[in-house]
Amino acid sequence: MILKEIDEIKKIRKSAQLVSKTLGIMAKEIKPGITSLYLDKIAEEFILDNNAIPGFKGYNNFPNTLCISVNNQVVHGIPCDKPLNEGDIISIDCGVINDGYFGDHAYTFKVGEVTKEINKLLDVTKNSLYEGIDAMIENNRIGDIGSAIQRYINLHGYGIVKELVGHGLGENLHEEPEVPNYGRKGTGKIIKNGLVLAIEPMINLGTEKISLDDDEWTIVTLDGLYSAHFEHNIALINGKPEILSTFDFIYDALGIKSDEEKRFKNFFD
Ligand code: MG
Ligand code: MG
């Protein structure tokens, strides 16, 4: 695995923050009746206006700037012209390249009001991400991150998608090590200062089993139940996890007050 110097981490942070701002714009636009293709267009223009490159477009021939996955779609959904409905959930995953370094993070938004059951799925999935980040400390191991996520998710009986994982991040979108959202404590590579990870639990309301849609990109749940996805980029600095991305732009747009990221902001903020 590649350990980064502070000046490299700064570049990843700049890219991650541009993704964060893009997601903040998405938060303002999402409502019943709009299409994921419309969101994709706005995001692409915003990224280009900021002199950055959409990181997903063309990656393994992916056709768009955003991966947009609605309801039973887990990840890698392709933006389309189908309008969103009240009660839908929409996972937006965005990557950018700025100065040669990637940012890559994701948030699952509500379209209007959603059911109590879906609200809980979103809360628990996001909380599991922070459980994982808490375990990213010096001399812990990669398995400690997955173990923390799994322990928390198991309390709620949801399905953890196992085939798709988090990853190292830097000059490449996907670097070593893989970061599964399950695992055993004390196993895997040792976490060292300079490691930059994308941690990204993908959590299903029902079965953990997934399948690949006919478009050969979109991952869907096998039982058709909803799925949530939250992703942050984190660097290990001075032995502690430092969050490089932020949901603050989303929360500002939605009028939500949150200090959930506070404990991961020690170096840059
Ligand atoms: Mg992502
Ligand atoms: Mg990722």
Side-chain angles (χ1 to χ4, degrees):
M1 65 186 167
I2 307 166
L3 302 177
K4 275 94 180 171
E5 303 293 338
I6 290 295
D7 65 319
E8 295 181 281
I9 293 172
K10 277 184 184 162
K11 288 179 182 176
I12 300 169
R13 183 171 184 268
K14 201 175 167 205
S15 293
Q17 293 275 317
L18 183 55
V19 176
S20 304
K21 287 174 191 162
T22 307
L23 294 177
I25 292 169
M26 299 296 102
K28 283 185 212 149
E29 295 287 344
I30 290 167
K31 52 180 167 292
I34 65 129
T35 70
S36 50
L37 207 50
Y38 167 78
L39 296 173
D40 185 72
K41 204 168 173 314
I42 293 174
E44 180 166 353
E45 282 172 10
F46 180 71
I47 292 164
L48 294 173
D49 283 349
N50 280 275
N51 301 313
I53 302 165
F56 295 167
K57 198 169 187 176
Y59 188 85
N60 293 333
N61 294 322
F62 187 78
N64 291 82
T65 292
L66 302 176
C67 290
I68 299 192
S69 310
V70 179
N71 296 342
N72 64 315
Q73 299 175 340
V74 180
V75 287
H76 303 165
I78 299 174
C80 68
D81 57 9
K82 187 170 174 269
L84 296 170
N85 292 309
E86 176 88 19
D88 285 348
I89 54 172
I90 169 172
S91 302
I92 302 186
D93 196 347
C94 179
V96 308
I97 314 166
N98 206 351
D99 228 348
Y101 287 81
F102 277 88
D104 167 26
H105 79 119
Y107 190 90
T108 302
F109 299 87
K110 306 171 201 178
V111 182
E113 293 295 315
V114 304
T115 63
K116 244 189 183 165
E117 188 185 40
I118 299 303
N119 257 318
K120 190 183 162 204
L121 172 71
L122 299 181
D123 286 345
V124 168
T125 304
K126 182 153 62 66
N127 290 341
S128 79
L129 169 58
Y130 294 117
E131 294 285 322
I133 298 173
D134 274 323
M136 186 184 166
I137 51 175
E138 194 174 20
N139 295 324
N140 259 9
R141 288 173 182 267
I142 293 297
D144 293 317
I145 297 171
S147 164
I149 294 169
Q150 185 174 31
R151 186 160 20 94
Y152 185 77
I153 292 299
N154 283 350
L155 295 175
H156 301 279
Y158 295 141
I160 300 173
V161 174
K162 305 249 168 59
E163 290 88 341
L164 297 148
V165 295
H167 49 93
L169 184 72
E171 288 180 278
N172 301 294
L173 179 55
H174 297 114
E175 295 182 354
E176 290 289 311
E178 291 194 342
V179 185
N181 296 302
Y182 63 96
R184 276 193 302 122
K185 266 174 103 77
T187 63
K189 296 224 168 80
I190 296 173
I191 295 166
K192 296 278 183 204
N193 281 317
L195 181 64
V196 180
L197 297 178
I199 302 180
E200 49 177 317
M202 289 151 264
I203 305 298
N204 299 345
L205 192 57
T207 180
E208 65 178 49
K209 294 203 174 80
I210 54 170
S211 67
L212 184 64
D213 194 79
D214 289 341
D215 65 17
E216 298 205 341
W217 270 108
T218 314
I219 306 289
V220 297
T221 59
L222 202 61
D223 57 11
L225 295 179
Y226 286 16
S227 182
H229 178 215
F230 291 85
E231 175 177 25
H232 267 313
N233 301 153
I234 312 101
L236 196 78
I237 301 176
N238 299 330
K240 286 185 289 196
E242 178 76 22
I243 202 163
L244 306 177
S245 50
T246 179
F247 295 146
D248 285 350
F249 297 102
I250 296 171
Y251 295 154
D252 284 350
L254 300 178
I256 295 169
K257 282 224 177 303
S258 170
D259 60 359
E260 67 191 23
E261 296 171 2
K262 206 171 155 225
R263 66 188 187 277
F264 307 118
K265 291 176 177 171
N266 297 298
F267 187 79
F268 287 112
D269 287 280

